[in-house]
Amino acid sequence: MPNISEERSKPWRVELRQSMKVKERMAIPRVVMPSLDPVYRAQNNEEVNLGLTPELAVLEAKRCIDCPEPTCMTGCPVNIYIPQFIKQIEIGEFAEAAKTLKMTSALPAVCGRVCPQEKQCEAKCIHVRTGKDPVAIGHLERFAADYERESGNISVPEVAAPNGIKIAVVGSGPAGLSFAGDMVKFGYDVTVFEALHEIGGVLKYGIPEFRLPNDVIDVEINNLRDMGVKFMTNCIVGRTISMEDLKAEGYQGVFVGSGAGLPRFMNIKGENLVGIMSSNEYLTRVNLMDAANPESDTPVFKGKKVAVIGGGNTAMDSVRTALRLGAERAMIVYRRSEEEMPARIEEVHHAKEEGIIFMTLRNPIEFLGNEQGRVTHMIVQEMELGEPDASGRRSPVEKPGCTETIEVDEVIISVGVSPNPLIPRSVEGLQLTKWGTIVVDEETMQTDIPMIFAGGDIVRGGATVILAMGDGRKAAASMHEWLQGKSGVS
Amino acid sequence: MNKIISKEYFSDKVVRLEVEAPLIAKARKAGHFVIVRVGEKGERIPLTIADADVEKGTITLVVQMTGVSSTKLGKLEVGDSITDLVGPLGKATHIENFGTVVCACGGVGTAPMLPIVRALKKAGNKVITVLAARTKELIILEEQMRSLSDELIVMTDDGSYGNKGLVTNGVEKVLNREKVDLCVTIGPAIMMKFVSLLTKKYNIPTVASLNTIMVDGTGMCGACRVTVGGKVKFVCVDGPEFDAHQVDFDEMLMRLGGYKDFEREEMEKLSKLDKEG
Ligand SMILES: Cc1cc2nc3c(=O)[nH]c(=O)nc-3n(C[C@H](O)[C@H](O)[C@H](O)COP(=O)(O)OP(=O)(O)OC[C@H]3O[C@@H](n4cnc5c(N)ncnc54)[C@H](O)[C@@H]3O)c2cc1C
Ligand SMILES: Cc1cc2nc3c(=O)[nH]c(=O)nc-3n(C[C@H](O)[C@H](O)[C@H](O)COP(=O)(O)OP(=O)(O)OC[C@H]3O[C@@H](n4cnc5c(N)ncnc54)[C@H](O)[C@@H]3O)c2cc1C
Ligand code: SF4
Ligand code: SF4
Ligand code: FES
């Protein structure tokens, strides 16, 4: 691992810093990510953001002043060597920049696209403190990772000599994949078990193609395969194979990254009408089962007046998908105001550009249907913001007597997910919180059962890709240490 | 993986497939189901595990070809592989010696009833099976059911075979004749609804195995949700078997109708494919 100040003192970095005044660097305006025309893109599944050109990337890289104490890094859950990779971009060493990313991140092309940068690394960039736009770290990260992938020269990280110790991973989402990547680098014999028929977790079945193309994920997965990770799809740990079976087969450590795949509903009248479904069902049909493709056997409703309930990334993905499937009115219905929306700012911005209708401070209280049981209307309660709650967000309260009836033919419920109960239910002795998440030691990610570690959404509830990855990495490091202590492996 | 080892036609629309699946064979219990997918563009559909052979590492599926996906599966031959097969899913059937059990099945419910009848019999129950269909040609698995049950009553709506009448007429005849401790019903939702109404009148505990629309089968999507005793349940993880007297069958019927138009379109596609050969 590089020593930050040592790297920063290398002649090329010093020279580069001196080649341009800080003031000049700070004066360059932040790059604007080129994107597809909103009218065009709302009719297809093409990736919305086009990526930076090398010229734009180099220019944006110049904005980074290569801080002696890069505060940006404190905002990144996996501690990407941010100034280092940015300066490598500035001198045109794009492949080297990608290598720097890979030292700490298993999925840079993914994080560059989906991280809520405005709340993480970019929020901590020095530019923000001087009232300027932060360096576009996410865009640059995506640029370097894409450059490497498109060049076809993907560097396969070095793998230690096999030590023959079998390790099982439950779930192939970002937590499981990053754990697997690190463990295989340490020399373990790693097998990932996945319940679905595809590898990738939410990256495949949840986040749509127009935001995160499947090719991008597949390259990363193949990379792991090349490093020696084995994948077993259609295998549910706790059903197809039990923890006891895994132990009996000689697995010495298990990492649970089973995600938060249980959809929440609102429990209001009419919620089981035909045409009302969870965002998990909707996105799974479209993304995993390719239901919008006429060749596919799986059907999906293509509503004309679609309401999506919620204000998170999942809600934005659902509503923009509905638009792409031909909705004439695609609406977001959210009970707080836009300011409180948990979705990434970029998603809200893109949704608006595409013509999504935002109905904020509205909460559905009942769904109405026709004789066939199909949803036709939705009654919403108007809300206003009250006092801030424990989380500091102003909580919505009902405006008495103010309701509205809205015509809909499809409703997608996107009000959150709970931990997937399959594993917790099937492993005796695993300590759980009242929300059903698995309790781990925060430092080591180890559970009460020493051989079982866990991370990602199954520990945090619905969180983010990068936090899940960070957990996977942390768990790999501590499981490695634990196994070394136990058996003297090195 | 998941290679078909043997295949037998019970009728032109019903086949028995023995499939390689060693882990599932070992883990499964009566009442469990699997989700299968045929082809890269295939749909995920649920099927009950009819039987398993741990030593051979195989499970048996009995498939009734009703639509595109079940037909694609039924047309696979020995040596072909099922693209994806995952399980065992759902809760196992609660099997004990209840005494006398009436198993009422028809249509799509006949195949999944088979392993339940077998398990009940093995536990020492007296099993009376009522097998129903609209007309003679649609009666399936008659021989298998007869050999497993203490008594088999065949009902056809039009009287073209067995006794004339609905499944409920057959069940009621038994209820009037002798003491029954439990009724199990699987079939079209409308059939289960009427069986349930009947047994409620007679105060006979009744279990219905619900065949809702499913996608993942692991509790992730909520497509399979039903209301049981006023609470929303996911059939794939909380079921598929529930206390029939608590199930909101009207809601279930409504939800099952949801994809009717798509199914029709898909069948047209398939029959076109058939013609093209
Ligand atoms: C639509 C949507 C959009 C999102 N957008 C963003 C975004 O823009 N930015 C961001 O940072 N985050 C986003 N998130 C959140 C992010 O995707 C999750 O926080 C992250 O994927 C969690 O990773 P994970 O590895 O813990 O679990 P998951 O990605 O949920 O993967 C878990 C995997 O485990 C499998 N599994 C479960 N149980 C078992 C079992 N018993 N045996 C075998 N396999 C099992 C599941 O099938 C699944 O594939 C979004 C989420 C959704 C749903
Ligand atoms: C837990 C469970 C276990 C099952 N076990 C078996 C089994 O062992 N053997 C078997 O042959 N089938 C079984 N089924 C039913 C089977 O899943 C459906 O027949 C199949 O999904 C139909 O798909 P398709 O594309 O071929 O037909 P579709 O094109 O989807 O439908 C064709 C026709 O069948 C009806 N239909 C479709 N799905 C169902 C359903 N789930 N219940 C009732 N009617 C339906 C439709 O309304 C339509 O009229 C089971 C279902 C569940 C939920
Ligand atoms: S991984 Fe995410 S948080 Fe970390 S530097 Fe990259 S974009 Fe920022
Ligand atoms: S804080 Fe901003 S300017 Fe400083 S090193 Fe990080 S990205 Fe560059
Ligand atoms: S089939 Fe998806 S939750 Fe039951």
Side-chain angles (χ1 to χ4, degrees):
Chain A
M1 295 284 129
N3 174 308
I4 296 173
S5 61
E6 229 169 70
E7 287 293 328
R8 189 173 177 274
S9 315
K10 287 198 172 154
W12 73 269
R13 286 274 284 272
V14 177
E15 206 177 297
L16 191 65
R17 271 199 303 280
Q18 289 166 350
S19 70
M20 197 172 180
K21 289 210 179 68
V22 167
K23 230 180 171 172
E24 283 172 331
R25 292 186 183 274
M26 304 278 283
I28 305 170
R30 178 177 157 122
V31 69
V32 176
M33 170 63 87
S35 59
L36 289 175
D37 171 66
V39 177
Y40 168 79
R41 75 191 189 221
Q43 294 161 19
N44 59 50
N45 231 352
E46 288 172 39
E47 190 177 8
V48 170
N49 279 342
L50 296 168
L52 301 182
T53 59
E55 295 71 34
L56 285 176
V58 170
L59 184 63
E60 181 63 21
K62 288 192 161 80
R63 294 184 67 229
C64 168
I65 60 172
D66 199 1
C67 303
E69 275 171 34
T71 43
C72 51
M73 284 181 64
T74 63
C76 173
V78 295
N79 289 311
I80 297 243
Y81 298 108
I82 296 172
Q84 176 154 334
F85 94 82
I86 294 183
K87 291 301 116 181
Q88 285 163 328
I89 290 179
E90 188 178 339
I91 57 166
E93 295 281 359
F94 306 146
E96 289 303 310
K99 271 194 205 150
T100 303
L101 291 172
K102 280 207 191 152
M103 285 175 189
T104 55
S105 167
L107 308 164
V110 174
C111 296
R113 285 173 167 82
V114 306
C115 258
Q117 289 100 6
E118 70 268 15
K119 290 183 196 143
Q120 299 180 346
C121 52
E122 294 182 15
K124 296 280 166 64
C125 173
I126 191 90
H127 288 239
V128 176
R129 257 187 281 160
T130 63
K132 294 224 162 58
D133 290 330
V135 174
I137 303 169
H139 294 346
L140 291 172
E141 182 168 331
R142 168 183 165 168
F143 169 79
D146 282 1
Y147 175 86
E148 184 192 47
R149 189 180 66 253
E150 282 155 18
S151 74
N153 287 323
I154 297 177
S155 66
V156 177
E158 265 177 55
V159 174
N163 62 20
I165 298 178
K166 284 164 74 174
I167 301 295
V169 183
V170 183
S172 66
L177 292 178
S178 68
F179 172 88
D182 277 8
M183 287 305 268
V184 81
K185 277 189 225 165
F186 295 143
Y188 294 94
D189 179 2
V190 184
T191 306
V192 179
F193 297 90
E194 169 55 53
L196 293 171
H197 59 262
E198 282 257 13
I199 301 293
V202 170
L203 306 181
K204 276 279 174 63
Y205 77 73
I207 304 180
E209 195 70 9
F210 59 80
R211 204 148 71 79
L212 179 62
N214 282 343
D215 304 352
V216 172
I217 311 159
D218 285 335
V219 167
E220 308 281 359
I221 292 166
N222 285 335
N223 205 4
L224 290 174
R225 271 207 184 95
D226 290 344
M227 286 160 69
V229 176
K230 287 173 247 172
F231 290 98
M232 188 159 168
T233 51
N234 295 316
C235 186
I236 307 176
V237 175
R239 308 290 328 218
T240 317
I241 187 165
S242 66
M243 282 285 177
E244 281 68 41
D245 292 336
L246 289 175
K247 241 190 272 178
E249 282 183 27
Y251 286 91
Q252 293 195 24
V254 179
F255 175 76
V256 178
S258 54
L262 189 75
R264 268 189 227 137
F265 286 93
M266 286 185 296
N267 297 317
I268 60 176
K269 214 168 149 204
E271 203 172 16
N272 288 346
L273 286 166
V274 177
I276 303 182
M277 69 197 86
S278 72
S279 49
N280 271 6
E281 176 180 351
Y282 187 62
L283 293 172
T284 300
R285 284 180 185 272
V286 177
N287 297 332
L288 183 72
M289 306 310 296
D290 196 18
N293 179 346
E295 304 273 295
S296 166
D297 293 341
T298 304
V300 64
F301 286 121
K302 294 182 181 168
K304 292 291 171 211
K305 295 177 219 103
V306 185
V308 176
I309 319 298
N313 287 319
T314 314
M316 294 306 143
D317 285 343
S318 302
V319 80
R320 294 172 71 198
T321 297
L323 192 72
R324 283 160 174 78
L325 297 191
E328 284 151 13
R329 273 172 70 80
M331 305 165 256
I332 282 283
V333 179
Y334 181 55
R335 65 198 179 107
R336 302 183 196 236
S337 74
E338 197 177 313
E339 220 172 287
E340 286 84 16
M341 279 194 179
R344 295 177 71 221
I345 289 177
E346 186 178 55
E347 308 319 324
V348 175
H349 171 72
H350 279 158
K352 286 198 167 157
E353 277 185 346
E354 288 165 11
I356 301 295
I357 300 161
F358 279 70
M359 300 183 33
T360 52
L361 290 168
R362 299 276 196 301
N363 196 31
I365 49 175
E366 186 178 349
F367 300 107
L368 309 171
N370 61 17
E371 312 80 64
Q372 286 90 46
R374 271 211 75 108
V375 64
T376 57
H377 293 84
M378 163 174 97
I379 304 177
V380 296
Q381 166 74 55
E382 277 186 46
M383 313 293 281
E384 57 193 355
L385 289 181
E387 296 297 311
D389 61 12
S391 71
R393 291 197 301 180
R394 294 179 65 194
S395 51
V397 287
E398 289 180 9
K399 257 170 127 176
C402 298
T403 62
E404 198 181 338
T405 302
I406 298 164
E407 225 181 296
V408 288
D409 60 2
E410 182 167 21
V411 177
I412 294 148
I413 313 276
S414 192
V415 295
V417 283
S418 301
N420 190 319
L422 262 168
I423 284 279
R425 269 189 204 170
S426 68
V427 182
E428 229 170 285
L430 213 52
Q431 200 191 326
L432 305 178
T433 65
K434 67 175 176 200
W435 299 281
T437 51
I438 297 179
V439 176
V440 294
D441 177 322
E442 271 176 44
E443 292 302 312
T444 61
M445 309 311 285
Q446 194 166 23
T447 69
D448 279 2
I449 302 172
M451 75 177 295
I452 304 180
F453 290 62
D457 282 2
I458 188 71
V459 167
R460 298 170 177 274
T464 61
V465 171
I466 191 70
L467 286 170
M469 274 186 41
D471 286 354
R473 303 205 64 223
K474 217 181 336 170
S478 55
M479 187 188 284
H480 181 43
E481 201 174 302
W482 176 74
L483 285 168
Q484 278 175 319
K486 215 178 75 157
S487 56
V489 194
S490 57
Chain B
M1 276 291 268
N2 307 330
K3 211 195 297 172
I4 295 175
I5 303 297
S6 71
K7 176 176 180 176
E8 179 188 351
Y9 277 90
F10 288 154
S11 75
D12 7 315
K13 288 280 176 205
V14 184
V15 293
R16 186 187 60 83
L17 298 174
E18 192 186 358
V19 189
E20 244 173 37
L23 292 175
I24 301 174
K26 213 171 101 196
R28 77 100 206 189
K29 293 199 174 75
H32 280 155
F33 65 94
V34 289
I35 293 252
V36 307
R37 191 174 76 112
V38 181
E40 283 311 319
K41 295 284 168 210
E43 184 180 19
R44 294 171 66 99
I45 61 164
L47 294 164
T48 304
I49 304 170
D51 202 359
D53 186 329
V54 180
E55 246 138 64
K56 270 166 88 182
T58 59
I59 60 169
T60 300
L61 304 174
V62 178
V63 187
Q64 183 178 4
M65 295 181 251
T66 60
V68 170
S69 305
S70 50
T71 305
K72 277 188 180 170
L73 177 64
K75 295 241 159 108
L76 293 182
E77 297 300 338
V78 173
D80 289 345
S81 285
I82 298 179
T83 317
D84 294 294
L85 176 71
V86 64
L89 300 165
K91 287 195 174 145
T93 309
H94 174 71
I95 298 284
E96 61 172 62
N97 191 344
F98 298 97
T100 302
V101 184
V102 173
C103 293
C105 57
V108 289
T110 314
M113 186 66 97
L114 207 59
I116 295 177
V117 170
R118 186 185 294 120
L120 284 169
K121 191 67 205 140
K122 213 172 134 197
N125 291 283
K126 175 178 175 192
V127 180
I128 304 167
T129 303
V130 181
L131 182 59
R134 273 205 318 281
T135 182
K136 183 178 176 197
E137 282 68 48
L138 298 175
I139 290 286
I140 59 168
L141 299 175
E142 183 188 349
E143 282 323 304
Q144 290 73 16
M145 284 296 191
R146 194 183 302 283
S147 65
L148 289 171
S149 318
D150 291 280
E151 184 185 348
L152 180 78
I153 301 173
V154 175
M155 305 293 303
T156 51
D157 294 7
D158 61 3
S160 53
Y161 189 59
N163 306 288
K164 182 173 160 56
L166 301 172
V167 70
T168 39
N169 301 123
V171 174
E172 192 157 24
K173 207 172 85 186
V174 183
L175 298 185
N176 284 329
R177 185 182 74 190
E178 62 183 281
K179 179 175 166 291
V180 171
D181 301 289
L182 180 76
C183 174
V184 181
T185 180
I186 316 184
I190 187 79
M191 179 200 116
M192 292 192 280
K193 174 184 166 175
F194 283 105
V195 170
S196 171
L197 285 173
L198 174 74
T199 58
K200 201 169 182 175
K201 206 169 77 190
Y202 283 82
N203 238 331
I204 311 288
T206 300
V207 171
S209 179
L210 305 185
N211 35 27
T212 50
I213 291 167
M214 292 188 180
V215 182
D216 59 298
T218 64
M220 186 189 93
C221 75
C224 61
R225 66 194 193 276
V226 288
T227 304
V228 182
K231 291 215 175 68
V232 174
K233 300 274 177 192
F234 287 5
V235 172
C236 65
V237 286
D238 302 318
E241 290 164 20
F242 294 97
D243 174 353
H245 298 159
Q246 301 291 322
V247 173
D248 184 343
F249 282 106
D250 291 332
E251 180 188 270
M252 180 179 162
L253 272 163
M254 175 188 95
R255 288 183 58 78
L256 273 174
Y259 284 98
K260 273 269 151 53
D261 296 344
F262 293 100
E263 284 155 8
R264 210 168 302 125
E265 270 171 41
E266 290 294 317
M267 274 319 268
E268 278 159 22
K269 238 169 49 185
L270 192 75
S271 58
K272 231 186 280 163
L273 276 180
D274 257 2
K275 272 178 219 138
E276 284 161 13

